[in-house]
Coordinates of all heavy atoms in Angstrom, one line a residue:
M1 N 0.8 -1.2 0.0 CA 0.0 0.0 0.0 C 0.9 1.3 0.0 O 0.6 2.2 -0.7 CB -0.9 0.0 1.2 CG -1.9 1.1 1.3 SD -3.2 0.9 0.1 CE -4.2 2.2 0.6
T2 N 1.9 1.2 0.8 CA 2.8 2.4 0.9 C 3.5 2.7 -0.5 O 3.6 3.8 -0.9 CB 3.9 2.2 1.9 OG1 3.3 1.8 3.2 CG2 4.7 3.4 2.1
V3 N 3.9 1.6 -1.2 CA 4.5 1.8 -2.5 C 3.6 2.4 -3.5 O 4.0 3.3 -4.3 CB 5.1 0.4 -3.0 CG1 5.6 0.5 -4.4 CG2 6.1 -0.1 -2.1
T4 N 2.3 2.0 -3.4 CA 1.3 2.6 -4.3 C 1.1 4.0 -4.0 O 1.0 4.8 -5.0 CB 0.0 1.8 -4.1 OG1 0.2 0.4 -4.4 CG2 -1.0 2.3 -5.1
I5 N 1.1 4.4 -2.8 CA 0.9 5.8 -2.4 C 2.1 6.7 -2.9 O 1.9 7.7 -3.4 CB 0.6 6.0 -0.9 CG1 -0.8 5.4 -0.6 CG2 0.7 7.4 -0.5 CD1 -1.1 5.3 0.9
I6 N 3.3 6.1 -2.7 CA 4.5 6.8 -3.1 C 4.5 7.0 -4.6 O 4.8 8.0 -5.2 CB 5.8 6.1 -2.6 CG1 5.9 6.2 -1.1 CG2 7.0 6.6 -3.3 CD1 6.9 5.3 -0.5
W7 N 4.1 5.9 -5.3 CA 4.0 6.0 -6.8 C 3.0 7.0 -7.2 O 3.3 7.8 -8.2 CB 3.7 4.6 -7.4 CG 3.8 4.5 -8.8 CD1 4.9 4.1 -9.5 CD2 2.9 4.9 -9.8 NE1 4.7 4.2 -10.9 CE2 3.5 4.7 -11.1 CE3 1.6 5.3 -9.8 CZ2 2.8 4.9 -12.3 CZ3 0.9 5.6 -11.0 CH2 1.5 5.4 -12.2
L8 N 1.9 7.1 -6.6 CA 0.8 8.0 -7.0 C 1.3 9.5 -6.7 O 1.0 10.4 -7.6 CB -0.5 7.7 -6.3 CG -1.3 6.5 -6.8 CD1 -2.4 6.2 -5.9 CD2 -1.7 6.7 -8.2
I9 N 1.9 9.7 -5.6 CA 2.4 11.0 -5.3 C 3.5 11.4 -6.3 O 3.5 12.6 -6.8 CB 2.9 11.1 -3.8 CG1 1.7 11.0 -2.9 CG2 3.7 12.4 -3.6 CD1 2.1 10.8 -1.4
G10 N 4.4 10.5 -6.6 CA 5.5 10.8 -7.5 C 4.9 11.0 -8.9 O 5.3 12.0 -9.6
F11 N 3.9 10.3 -9.3 CA 3.3 10.4 -10.6 C 2.6 11.8 -10.7 O 2.8 12.5 -11.7 CB 2.3 9.3 -10.9 CG 1.4 9.5 -12.1 CD1 2.0 9.2 -13.3 CD2 0.2 10.0 -12.0 CE1 1.2 9.4 -14.5 CE2 -0.6 10.2 -13.2 CZ -0.1 9.9 -14.4
A12 N 1.9 12.2 -9.7 CA 1.2 13.5 -9.7 C 2.2 14.6 -9.7 O 2.0 15.6 -10.5 CB 0.3 13.6 -8.5
A13 N 3.2 14.5 -8.9 CA 4.2 15.6 -8.9 C 4.9 15.8 -10.2 O 5.1 16.9 -10.8 CB 5.2 15.4 -7.8
I14 N 5.4 14.7 -10.8 CA 6.1 14.7 -12.1 C 5.2 15.2 -13.2 O 5.6 16.0 -14.0 CB 6.7 13.3 -12.4 CG1 7.8 13.0 -11.4 CG2 7.3 13.3 -13.8 CD1 8.3 11.6 -11.5
L15 N 3.9 14.7 -13.2 CA 3.0 15.2 -14.2 C 2.7 16.7 -14.1 O 2.7 17.4 -15.1 CB 1.7 14.4 -14.1 CG 0.6 14.7 -15.1 CD1 1.1 14.3 -16.5 CD2 -0.7 14.0 -14.8
F16 N 2.5 17.1 -12.9 CA 2.3 18.5 -12.7 C 3.4 19.4 -13.1 O 3.2 20.4 -13.9 CB 2.0 18.8 -11.2 CG 1.9 20.3 -10.8 CD1 0.7 21.0 -11.2 CD2 2.9 20.9 -10.2 CE1 0.6 22.3 -10.9 CE2 2.8 22.3 -9.9 CZ 1.7 23.0 -10.3
F17 N 4.6 19.1 -12.7 CA 5.8 19.9 -13.1 C 6.1 19.7 -14.6 O 6.6 20.7 -15.2 CB 7.0 19.6 -12.2 CG 6.8 20.1 -10.8 CD1 6.8 19.2 -9.8 CD2 6.7 21.4 -10.6 CE1 6.6 19.7 -8.5 CE2 6.6 21.9 -9.3 CZ 6.5 21.1 -8.3
S18 N 5.9 18.6 -15.2 CA 6.2 18.5 -16.6 C 5.2 19.2 -17.5 O 5.5 19.8 -18.5 CB 6.3 17.0 -17.0 OG 5.0 16.4 -16.8
L19 N 3.9 19.2 -17.0 CA 2.9 20.0 -17.7 C 3.1 21.5 -17.6 O 3.0 22.3 -18.5 CB 1.5 19.7 -17.3 CG 0.9 18.3 -17.7 CD1 -0.4 18.0 -17.0 CD2 0.7 18.3 -19.2
R20 N 3.6 21.9 -16.4 CA 3.8 23.3 -16.1 C 5.0 23.8 -16.9 O 5.0 24.9 -17.4 CB 4.1 23.4 -14.6 CG 4.2 24.8 -14.1 CD 4.2 24.8 -12.6 NE 4.8 26.1 -12.2 CZ 5.4 26.2 -11.1 NH1 5.6 25.2 -10.3 NH2 5.9 27.4 -10.7
G21 N 6.1 23.0 -17.1 CA 7.3 23.4 -17.8 C 7.3 23.0 -19.2 O 8.4 22.9 -19.8
W22 N 6.2 22.6 -19.8 CA 6.2 22.1 -21.2 C 6.8 23.1 -22.2 O 7.6 22.8 -23.0 CB 4.8 21.6 -21.6 CG 4.8 21.1 -23.0 CD1 4.3 21.8 -24.0 CD2 5.2 19.8 -23.5 NE1 4.4 21.0 -25.2 CE2 5.0 19.8 -24.8 CE3 5.8 18.7 -22.9 CZ2 5.3 18.8 -25.6 CZ3 6.2 17.7 -23.7 CH2 5.9 17.7 -25.0
E23 N 6.2 24.3 -22.2 CA 6.6 25.3 -23.2 C 8.0 25.7 -23.0 O 8.7 26.0 -24.0 CB 5.6 26.5 -23.1 CG 4.2 26.2 -23.5 CD 4.1 25.7 -25.0 OE1 4.9 26.2 -25.8 OE2 3.2 24.9 -25.3
A24 N 8.5 25.8 -21.8 CA 9.8 26.4 -21.5 C 10.9 25.4 -21.8 O 11.9 25.8 -22.4 CB 9.9 26.9 -20.1
S25 N 10.7 24.2 -21.4 CA 11.9 23.2 -21.6 C 11.6 21.9 -22.3 O 12.4 21.5 -23.1 CB 12.4 22.9 -20.2 OG 11.4 22.3 -19.4
L26 N 10.5 21.3 -22.0 CA 10.3 20.0 -22.6 C 9.9 20.0 -24.1 O 10.4 19.2 -24.9 CB 9.1 19.3 -21.9 CG 9.5 18.7 -20.5 CD1 8.3 18.1 -19.8 CD2 10.6 17.7 -20.6
S27 N 9.1 21.0 -24.5 CA 8.7 21.0 -25.9 C 10.0 21.3 -26.8 O 10.1 20.6 -27.8 CB 7.7 22.1 -26.1 OG 7.3 22.2 -27.5
P28 N 10.8 22.3 -26.5 CA 12.0 22.5 -27.3 C 12.9 21.2 -27.3 O 13.5 20.9 -28.3 CB 12.7 23.7 -26.8 CG 11.6 24.4 -26.0 CD 10.7 23.4 -25.5
F29 N 13.0 20.6 -26.2 CA 13.9 19.4 -26.1 C 13.4 18.3 -26.9 O 14.1 17.6 -27.7 CB 14.0 18.9 -24.6 CG 14.7 17.6 -24.4 CD1 16.1 17.6 -24.5 CD2 14.0 16.5 -24.2 CE1 16.8 16.4 -24.4 CE2 14.7 15.3 -24.0 CZ 16.1 15.2 -24.1
M30 N 12.1 18.1 -26.9 CA 11.5 17.0 -27.8 C 11.6 17.4 -29.2 O 11.9 16.5 -30.1 CB 10.0 16.9 -27.4 CG 9.7 16.3 -26.1 SD 10.2 14.6 -26.0 CE 9.6 14.2 -24.4
S31 N 11.5 18.6 -29.6 CA 11.7 19.0 -31.0 C 13.1 18.8 -31.5 O 13.3 18.4 -32.6 CB 11.3 20.5 -31.2 OG 10.0 20.7 -30.9
R32 N 14.1 19.0 -30.6 CA 15.5 18.8 -31.0 C 15.8 17.3 -31.1 O 16.6 16.9 -31.9 CB 16.4 19.4 -30.0 CG 16.5 20.9 -30.1 CD 17.7 21.5 -29.3 NE 17.8 20.9 -28.0 CZ 17.3 21.4 -26.9 NH1 16.6 22.5 -26.9 NH2 17.5 20.8 -25.7
T33 N 15.3 16.5 -30.2 CA 15.8 15.1 -30.1 C 15.0 14.1 -30.9 O 15.5 13.1 -31.3 CB 15.8 14.6 -28.6 OG1 14.5 14.8 -28.0 CG2 16.8 15.5 -27.8
L34 N 13.7 14.3 -31.1 CA 12.9 13.4 -31.8 C 13.1 13.4 -33.3 O 13.3 14.5 -33.9 CB 11.4 13.6 -31.6 CG 10.8 13.3 -30.2 CD1 9.4 13.6 -30.1 CD2 11.0 11.8 -29.9
P35 N 13.1 12.3 -34.0 CA 13.3 12.3 -35.4 C 12.0 12.9 -36.1 O 10.9 13.0 -35.4 CB 13.4 10.8 -35.8 CG 13.3 10.0 -34.6 CD 13.1 10.9 -33.4
E36 N 12.1 13.3 -37.3 CA 11.1 14.0 -38.0 C 9.8 13.1 -38.1 O 8.7 13.7 -38.0 CB 11.5 14.3 -39.4 CG 10.5 15.1 -40.2 CD 10.4 16.6 -39.7 OE1 11.4 17.1 -39.2 OE2 9.3 17.1 -39.9
A37 N 9.9 11.8 -38.2 CA 8.8 10.9 -38.3 C 7.9 10.9 -37.0 O 6.7 10.7 -37.1 CB 9.2 9.5 -38.6
L38 N 8.5 11.2 -35.9 CA 7.8 11.2 -34.6 C 7.3 12.5 -34.2 O 6.5 12.6 -33.3 CB 8.7 10.6 -33.5 CG 9.1 9.2 -33.6 CD1 10.0 8.8 -32.4 CD2 7.8 8.3 -33.5
Q39 N 7.7 13.6 -34.9 CA 7.2 14.9 -34.6 C 5.9 15.2 -35.2 O 5.6 14.7 -36.3 CB 8.2 15.9 -35.0 CG 9.5 15.9 -34.2 CD 10.5 17.0 -34.7 OE1 10.1 17.8 -35.5 NE2 11.7 17.0 -34.2
S40 N 5.0 15.9 -34.5 CA 3.8 16.3 -35.1 C 3.5 17.8 -34.8 O 4.2 18.3 -33.9 CB 2.6 15.5 -34.6 OG 2.4 15.7 -33.3
N41 N 2.6 18.4 -35.5 CA 2.3 19.8 -35.2 C 1.3 20.0 -34.1 O 1.1 21.1 -33.6 CB 1.8 20.5 -36.5 CG 2.9 20.6 -37.5 OD1 4.1 20.6 -37.2 ND2 2.5 20.6 -38.8
A42 N 0.7 18.9 -33.6 CA -0.3 19.0 -32.6 C 0.3 19.2 -31.2 O 1.6 19.1 -31.1 CB -1.1 17.7 -32.6
D43 N -0.5 19.4 -30.3 CA 0.0 19.6 -28.9 C 0.3 18.2 -28.3 O -0.7 17.4 -28.0 CB -1.0 20.3 -28.1 CG -0.5 20.7 -26.7 OD1 0.7 20.8 -26.5 OD2 -1.4 21.0 -25.8
E44 N 1.5 17.8 -28.1 CA 1.9 16.5 -27.7 C 2.1 16.4 -26.2 O 2.4 15.4 -25.7 CB 3.2 16.1 -28.3 CG 3.2 16.1 -29.8 CD 4.4 16.7 -30.4 OE1 5.2 17.3 -29.7 OE2 4.6 16.6 -31.6
R45 N 1.8 17.5 -25.5 CA 2.0 17.5 -24.0 C 1.2 16.4 -23.3 O 1.6 15.9 -22.3 CB 1.8 18.9 -23.4 CG 0.3 19.2 -23.2 CD 0.1 20.5 -22.5 NE 0.7 21.6 -23.2 CZ 1.0 22.7 -22.5 NH1 0.8 22.8 -21.3 NH2 1.5 23.7 -23.2
W46 N 0.0 16.1 -23.9 CA -0.9 15.1 -23.2 C -0.5 13.7 -23.5 O -1.1 12.8 -23.0 CB -2.3 15.4 -23.6 CG -2.8 16.8 -23.1 CD1 -3.0 17.9 -23.8 CD2 -2.9 17.2 -21.7 NE1 -3.3 18.9 -23.0 CE2 -3.3 18.5 -21.7 CE3 -2.8 16.5 -20.5 CZ2 -3.5 19.2 -20.6 CZ3 -3.1 17.2 -19.3 CH2 -3.4 18.5 -19.4
V47 N 0.5 13.5 -24.3 CA 1.0 12.2 -24.6 C 2.4 12.0 -23.9 O 2.6 11.0 -23.1 CB 1.3 12.0 -26.1 CG1 1.9 10.6 -26.4 CG2 -0.1 12.0 -26.8
W48 N 3.3 13.0 -24.0 CA 4.6 12.9 -23.5 C 4.6 13.1 -21.9 O 5.4 12.4 -21.3 CB 5.6 13.8 -24.1 CG 5.9 13.4 -25.5 CD1 5.5 13.9 -26.7 CD2 6.7 12.3 -25.9 NE1 6.0 13.3 -27.7 CE2 6.8 12.2 -27.3 CE3 7.4 11.3 -25.2 CZ2 7.5 11.3 -28.0 CZ3 8.2 10.4 -25.9 CH2 8.2 10.3 -27.2
C49 N 3.9 14.0 -21.4 CA 3.9 14.3 -20.0 C 3.5 13.1 -19.1 O 4.1 12.7 -18.2 CB 3.2 15.5 -19.6 SG 4.0 17.0 -20.2
P50 N 2.3 12.4 -19.4 CA 2.0 11.2 -18.7 C 3.0 10.1 -18.9 O 3.2 9.4 -17.9 CB 0.6 10.8 -19.2 CG 0.0 12.1 -19.8 CD 1.2 12.9 -20.3
A51 N 3.5 10.0 -20.1 CA 4.5 8.9 -20.3 C 5.8 9.1 -19.4 O 6.3 8.2 -18.8 CB 4.9 8.8 -21.7
L52 N 6.2 10.4 -19.4 CA 7.4 10.7 -18.5 C 7.0 10.6 -17.0 O 7.9 10.1 -16.2 CB 7.8 12.2 -18.8 CG 8.5 12.4 -20.2 CD1 8.7 13.9 -20.4 CD2 9.7 11.6 -20.3
A53 N 5.8 10.9 -16.7 CA 5.4 10.8 -15.3 C 5.3 9.3 -14.8 O 5.7 8.9 -13.7 CB 4.0 11.4 -15.1
I54 N 4.8 8.4 -15.7 CA 4.8 7.0 -15.4 C 6.2 6.5 -15.3 O 6.5 5.7 -14.3 CB 4.0 6.2 -16.5 CG1 2.5 6.6 -16.4 CG2 4.3 4.7 -16.4 CD1 1.7 6.1 -17.6
L55 N 7.1 6.8 -16.2 CA 8.5 6.3 -16.1 C 9.2 6.9 -14.9 O 9.9 6.1 -14.2 CB 9.3 6.7 -17.4 CG 8.9 5.9 -18.6 CD1 9.6 6.5 -19.8 CD2 9.2 4.4 -18.4
G56 N 9.0 8.1 -14.6 CA 9.6 8.8 -13.4 C 9.1 8.2 -12.1 O 9.9 7.9 -11.2
A57 N 7.8 8.0 -12.0 CA 7.2 7.4 -10.8 C 7.7 6.0 -10.6 O 8.0 5.6 -9.4 CB 5.7 7.5 -10.8
T58 N 7.8 5.2 -11.6 CA 8.3 3.8 -11.5 C 9.7 3.8 -11.2 O 10.2 3.0 -10.4 CB 8.0 3.1 -12.9 OG1 6.7 3.2 -13.2 CG2 8.4 1.6 -12.8
F59 N 10.5 4.8 -11.7 CA 11.9 4.9 -11.3 C 12.1 5.3 -9.8 O 13.0 4.8 -9.2 CB 12.6 5.9 -12.2 CG 14.1 5.8 -12.1 CD1 14.8 4.8 -12.8 CD2 14.8 6.7 -11.4 CE1 16.2 4.7 -12.8 CE2 16.2 6.6 -11.3 CZ 16.9 5.6 -12.0
L60 N 11.2 6.1 -9.3 CA 11.2 6.4 -7.9 C 11.0 5.2 -7.0 O 11.6 5.0 -6.0 CB 10.2 7.5 -7.6 CG 10.5 8.9 -8.0 CD1 9.3 9.8 -7.7 CD2 11.7 9.4 -7.2
V61 N 10.0 4.3 -7.4 CA 9.6 3.2 -6.6 C 10.6 2.0 -6.8 O 10.9 1.3 -5.8 CB 8.2 2.8 -6.9 CG1 7.8 1.6 -6.2 CG2 7.2 4.0 -6.5
R62 N 11.0 1.8 -8.0 CA 11.8 0.6 -8.3 C 13.0 1.0 -9.1 O 13.1 0.6 -10.3 CB 10.9 -0.4 -9.1 CG 9.7 -0.9 -8.4 CD 9.9 -2.2 -8.1 NE 9.0 -3.2 -7.9 CZ 9.3 -4.1 -6.9 NH1 10.3 -4.0 -6.2 NH2 8.5 -5.1 -6.8
P63 N 14.0 1.7 -8.6 CA 15.1 2.2 -9.4 C 16.0 1.0 -9.9 O 16.5 1.1 -11.0 CB 15.9 3.1 -8.4 CG 15.5 2.7 -7.0 CD 14.1 2.1 -7.2
V64 N 16.2 0.0 -9.1 CA 17.1 -1.1 -9.6 C 16.5 -1.8 -10.7 O 17.1 -2.1 -11.7 CB 17.4 -2.0 -8.4 CG1 18.2 -3.2 -8.8 CG2 18.2 -1.3 -7.3
D65 N 15.2 -2.1 -10.6 CA 14.5 -2.8 -11.7 C 14.6 -2.0 -13.0 O 14.8 -2.5 -14.1 CB 13.0 -3.1 -11.4 CG 12.9 -4.1 -10.2 OD1 13.9 -4.8 -9.9 OD2 11.8 -4.1 -9.7
M66 N 14.4 -0.7 -12.9 CA 14.4 0.2 -14.1 C 15.8 0.2 -14.7 O 16.0 0.2 -15.9 CB 13.9 1.6 -13.7 CG 12.5 1.7 -13.4 SD 11.4 1.4 -14.8 CE 11.7 2.9 -15.7
L67 N 16.8 0.3 -13.8 CA 18.2 0.4 -14.3 C 18.6 -1.0 -15.0 O 19.2 -0.9 -16.1 CB 19.2 0.7 -13.2 CG 19.2 2.1 -12.7 CD1 20.1 2.3 -11.5 CD2 19.6 3.0 -13.8
L68 N 18.2 -2.1 -14.4 CA 18.5 -3.4 -15.1 C 17.7 -3.5 -16.4 O 18.2 -4.0 -17.3 CB 18.1 -4.5 -14.1 CG 19.1 -4.6 -12.9 CD1 18.6 -5.7 -12.0 CD2 20.5 -4.9 -13.4
T69 N 16.5 -3.0 -16.4 CA 15.7 -3.1 -17.7 C 16.4 -2.2 -18.7 O 16.5 -2.7 -19.9 CB 14.3 -2.6 -17.4 OG1 13.7 -3.4 -16.4 CG2 13.4 -2.7 -18.7
L70 N 16.8 -1.0 -18.4 CA 17.5 -0.2 -19.4 C 18.8 -0.8 -19.8 O 19.2 -0.7 -21.0 CB 17.8 1.2 -18.7 CG 16.5 2.1 -18.5 CD1 16.9 3.3 -17.8 CD2 15.9 2.4 -19.9
L71 N 19.5 -1.5 -18.9 CA 20.7 -2.2 -19.3 C 20.5 -3.3 -20.2 O 21.2 -3.4 -21.2 CB 21.4 -2.7 -18.0 CG 22.8 -3.3 -18.2 CD1 23.8 -2.2 -18.6 CD2 23.2 -3.9 -16.8
V72 N 19.4 -4.1 -20.0 CA 19.1 -5.2 -20.9 C 18.7 -4.7 -22.3 O 19.1 -5.2 -23.3 CB 18.0 -6.1 -20.2 CG1 17.5 -7.1 -21.3 CG2 18.6 -6.8 -19.1
I73 N 17.9 -3.6 -22.3 CA 17.5 -3.0 -23.6 C 18.7 -2.5 -24.3 O 18.8 -2.7 -25.5 CB 16.4 -1.9 -23.3 CG1 15.1 -2.5 -22.9 CG2 16.2 -1.1 -24.6 CD1 14.1 -1.5 -22.4
A74 N 19.6 -1.8 -23.7 CA 20.8 -1.3 -24.3 C 21.7 -2.5 -24.8 O 22.2 -2.4 -25.9 CB 21.6 -0.4 -23.3
L75 N 21.8 -3.5 -24.1 CA 22.6 -4.7 -24.5 C 22.0 -5.4 -25.7 O 22.7 -5.7 -26.7 CB 22.7 -5.7 -23.4 CG 23.6 -6.9 -23.6 CD1 25.1 -6.4 -23.9 CD2 23.5 -7.8 -22.4
V76 N 20.7 -5.5 -25.7 CA 20.0 -6.1 -26.9 C 20.1 -5.3 -28.1 O 20.4 -5.7 -29.2 CB 18.5 -6.4 -26.5 CG1 17.7 -6.8 -27.8 CG2 18.4 -7.5 -25.5
A77 N 20.0 -3.9 -27.9 CA 20.1 -3.0 -29.1 C 21.6 -3.1 -29.6 O 21.8 -3.0 -30.8 CB 19.8 -1.6 -28.6
W78 N 22.5 -3.1 -28.7 CA 23.9 -3.2 -29.2 C 24.2 -4.5 -30.0 O 24.9 -4.4 -31.0 CB 24.9 -3.1 -28.0 CG 26.3 -3.1 -28.3 CD1 27.0 -2.1 -28.9 CD2 27.2 -4.2 -28.2 NE1 28.3 -2.5 -29.1 CE2 28.4 -3.8 -28.6 CE3 27.0 -5.5 -27.7 CZ2 29.5 -4.7 -28.6 CZ3 28.1 -6.4 -27.7 CH2 29.4 -5.9 -28.2
V79 N 23.7 -5.6 -29.5 CA 23.9 -6.9 -30.1 C 23.2 -6.9 -31.5 O 23.8 -7.3 -32.5 CB 23.5 -8.1 -29.3 CG1 23.4 -9.3 -30.0 CG2 24.4 -8.2 -28.1
A80 N 22.0 -6.3 -31.5 CA 21.3 -6.3 -32.8 C 22.0 -5.4 -33.8 O 22.1 -5.7 -35.0 CB 19.9 -5.7 -32.6
K81 N 22.5 -4.3 -33.4 CA 23.3 -3.4 -34.3 C 24.5 -4.1 -34.8 O 24.8 -4.0 -36.0 CB 23.7 -2.1 -33.5 CG 24.5 -1.2 -34.4 CD 24.9 0.1 -33.6 CE 25.8 0.9 -34.4 NZ 26.5 1.9 -33.7
R82 N 25.3 -4.8 -33.9 CA 26.5 -5.5 -34.4 C 26.1 -6.6 -35.4 O 26.8 -6.8 -36.4 CB 27.2 -6.1 -33.2 CG 27.7 -5.0 -32.2 CD 28.7 -4.2 -32.8 NE 30.0 -4.7 -32.5 CZ 31.1 -4.1 -32.8 NH1 31.1 -3.0 -33.6 NH2 32.3 -4.6 -32.5
L83 N 25.0 -7.3 -35.1 CA 24.6 -8.4 -36.0 C 24.2 -7.8 -37.4 O 24.5 -8.4 -38.4 CB 23.5 -9.2 -35.4 CG 23.9 -10.2 -34.3 CD1 22.7 -10.9 -33.7 CD2 24.9 -11.3 -34.9
L84 N 23.5 -6.7 -37.3 CA 23.0 -6.1 -38.6 C 24.2 -5.6 -39.4 O 24.3 -5.7 -40.6 CB 22.1 -4.9 -38.2 CG 21.3 -4.3 -39.4 CD1 20.5 -5.3 -40.1 CD2 20.5 -3.2 -38.9
C85 N 25.2 -5.0 -38.7 CA 26.4 -4.5 -39.4 C 27.2 -5.7 -40.0 O 27.6 -5.6 -41.2 CB 27.3 -3.7 -38.5 SG 26.7 -2.1 -38.0
W86 N 27.3 -6.8 -39.3 CA 28.0 -7.9 -39.8 C 27.2 -8.5 -41.0 O 27.8 -8.9 -42.0 CB 28.0 -9.0 -38.7 CG 28.6 -10.3 -39.1 CD1 29.9 -10.6 -39.3 CD2 27.9 -11.5 -39.4 NE1 30.1 -11.9 -39.7 CE2 28.8 -12.5 -39.8 CE3 26.6 -11.8 -39.4 CZ2 28.5 -13.7 -40.2 CZ3 26.2 -13.1 -39.8 CH2 27.1 -14.0 -40.1
A87 N 25.9 -8.6 -40.9 CA 25.1 -9.1 -42.0 C 25.2 -8.2 -43.3 O 25.3 -8.7 -44.4 CB 23.6 -9.3 -41.6
M88 N 25.3 -6.9 -43.1 CA 25.4 -6.0 -44.2 C 26.8 -6.2 -44.9 O 26.9 -6.1 -46.1 CB 25.2 -4.6 -43.8 CG 23.8 -4.3 -43.3 SD 22.6 -4.5 -44.6 CE 22.9 -3.1 -45.7
K89 N 27.8 -6.4 -44.1 CA 29.1 -6.6 -44.7 C 29.2 -7.9 -45.5 O 29.8 -8.0 -46.5 CB 30.2 -6.6 -43.6 CG 30.5 -5.3 -43.0 CD 31.6 -5.4 -41.9 CE 31.9 -4.1 -41.3 NZ 32.9 -4.2 -40.2
K90 N 28.5 -8.9 -44.9 CA 28.5 -10.2 -45.7 C 27.7 -10.0 -47.0 O 28.0 -10.6 -48.0 CB 27.8 -11.3 -44.8 CG 28.7 -11.8 -43.7 CD 29.9 -12.5 -44.3 CE 30.7 -13.2 -43.2 NZ 31.8 -13.9 -43.7
A91 N 26.6 -9.3 -46.9 CA 25.8 -9.1 -48.1 C 26.5 -8.3 -49.2 O 26.3 -8.6 -50.4 CB 24.5 -8.4 -47.7
K92 N 27.3 -7.3 -48.8 CA 28.1 -6.6 -49.8 C 29.2 -7.3 -50.4 O 29.6 -7.1 -51.5 CB 28.7 -5.3 -49.1 CG 27.7 -4.2 -48.9 CD 28.3 -3.0 -48.3 CE 27.3 -1.9 -48.1 NZ 27.9 -0.7 -47.5
S93 N 29.8 -8.3 -49.7 CA 30.9 -9.0 -50.2 C 30.5 -10.1 -51.2 O 31.3 -10.7 -51.9 CB 31.7 -9.7 -49.1 OG 31.0 -10.7 -48.4
H94 N 29.2 -10.5 -51.2 CA 28.7 -11.5 -52.2 C 28.1 -10.9 -53.4 O 27.6 -10.0 -53.6 CB 27.8 -12.5 -51.4 CG 28.5 -13.3 -50.4 ND1 29.3 -14.4 -50.8 CD2 28.5 -13.2 -49.1 CE1 29.8 -14.9 -49.7 NE2 29.3 -14.2 -48.6

């Protein structure tokens, strides 16, 4: 029960501050970092702010699980990239 309350408080705080600071910091950051295909002209604050709040609140409650998940995702992406580069080299040589 305590973990749920901490998660809800963290979610509400992160959502409030991310919505409050959308125009000043988050919107320009998203415009710079997202590829063109993911950008839209609509108001994306109602998509990105809850997503960031969910990730942030989960990171507050379960930081080790989140770090290990990020580590596994990074490792899988690295292995996939290396295999793709190797396969492209093999395809070019034949």
Side-chain angles (χ1 to χ4, degrees):
M1 182 75 173
T2 306
V3 173
T4 305
I5 292 173
I6 292 171
W7 190 91
L8 287 172
I9 291 170
F11 174 79
I14 293 170
L15 182 63
F16 173 74
F17 288 117
S18 63
L19 285 172
R20 188 170 160 212
W22 177 259
E23 292 299 328
S25 60
L26 285 175
S27 181
F29 174 75
M30 293 291 186
S31 296
R32 283 192 317 264
T33 57
L34 286 177
E36 186 69 31
L38 292 178
Q39 292 181 5
S40 70
N41 295 333
D43 189 19
E44 300 137 351
R45 78 172 61 204
W46 297 108
V47 174
W48 286 106
C49 290
L52 292 173
I54 289 170
L55 288 174
T58 306
F59 194 78
L60 284 173
V61 173
R62 300 251 206 218
V64 174
D65 293 345
M66 290 292 287
L67 287 175
L68 288 176
T69 302
L70 290 175
L71 185 65
V72 167
I73 289 171
L75 184 63
V76 167
W78 181 76
V79 168
K81 180 183 173 191
R82 297 295 264 181
L83 284 174
L84 190 60
C85 289
W86 175 78
M88 292 300 286
K89 285 181 184 177
K90 286 292 186 180
K92 283 185 180 181
S93 65
H94 290 284

